Amino acid sequence: MTFGYAFQAPYVAYSVIDAAGELVHSTPVTIEKPVFMHDFAVTEKYSLFLDFPITLDIERAIAGGPALDFEPEHGSRIGVMPRFGTDADVRWFEVETGSVVHTANAWDDGDEVVLQASRSKTSDIAGAGLAADNLEDTQGKLYQWRINLKTGAVKEQVLSAVHCDFTRVNDTHACHKTRYVYGAVFNPARPFSFDGVMKFDNETQTTITYDYGDNRFGGEVVFAPKVGAQTEDGGYLICFVQDETVNQSECLILDAQDVAAGPIATILVPYRVPYGFHAGWVGHA
């Protein structure tokens, strides 16, 4: 399942590609205006689209304003489409206004669809750009929406008090109910900087963190399953960290079952690894 967004209508396009790599389904998704729809989510049956208020506006940019801006009056809503649905099949559900850049996972639960993602009250990537002002509102927290497709009711809640983004799960369980969510922990004073890793447990509703240490910053952590793993968290968390005091880049490997213990291996990298965004894990036999 793949999607794209653009400045011109149709502002969103959605497609399904089969296991052979063939495009087997494609449809536009109608929204009122172009938005920064950076991510979406899928379950076994549905695909979910986030029409949230980080708006895209070329004319605004030409006039000297920001191409991306946070317009809370646009509101927030989640569109739910059957896997091979069309534009007319999308059901939109209004939710509390906020900002979502990265989702964690989604799954079907009877009449309900559950979505988990990092959600902030406003955005620090729009308008004036990154700043240290009001980080409490611009830094996201792990959040959940539970959408009842039968009644139309939506229940939403903050899951963890830890400010985080780059939320991920064990990809072998994606689209299915997951117990654990991993994420990068925001530094509380420096904008768009991450100085730790978190693990949230949906069953116990608890969060475990590991701090990289003073003046050490990282990014997204990727889950690599152990060969023959018997549990969802049977594997490793891998990330890059930069120690800005000694100007040393490192690759850290943590046991996903004991995040608080810190790395079980540290690989010193002989060159500077720039702060980046996303990564993936591909197992090799």
Side-chain angles (χ1 to χ4, degrees), residues 5 20 82 102-103 206 244 278:
Y5 62 95
H102 301 113
T103 63
T206 56
E244 295 191 353
H278 303 298

Side-chain angles (χ1 to χ4, degrees), residues 151-174:
T151 67
V154 180
K155 296 179 181 178
E156 44 188 311
Q157 66 181 113
V158 175
L159 296 177
S160 174
V162 175
H163 289 89
C164 67
D165 207 326
F166 295 143
T167 45
R168 299 287 298 264
V169 298
N170 178 342
D171 287 338
T172 60
H173 295 264

Side-chain angles (χ1 to χ4, degrees), residues 50-114:
L50 306 178
D51 184 12
F52 280 46
I54 302 180
T55 60
L56 301 170
D57 194 325
I58 286 291
E59 293 183 1
R60 183 172 60 209
I62 293 174
L68 278 73
D69 204 1
F70 185 75
E71 297 185 76
E73 63 274 17
H74 180 75
S76 296
R77 59 182 188 157
I78 298 173
V80 180
M81 174 194 283
R83 172 73 70 248
F84 292 94
T86 65
D87 193 12
D89 298 317
V90 182
R91 294 180 61 190
W92 292 100
F93 298 85
E94 301 289 334
V95 297
E96 185 175 348
T97 299
S99 174
V100 171
V101 179
H102 301 113
T103 63
N105 192 25
W107 61 85
D108 303 310
D109 186 7
D111 293 329
E112 297 181 323
V113 171
V114 180

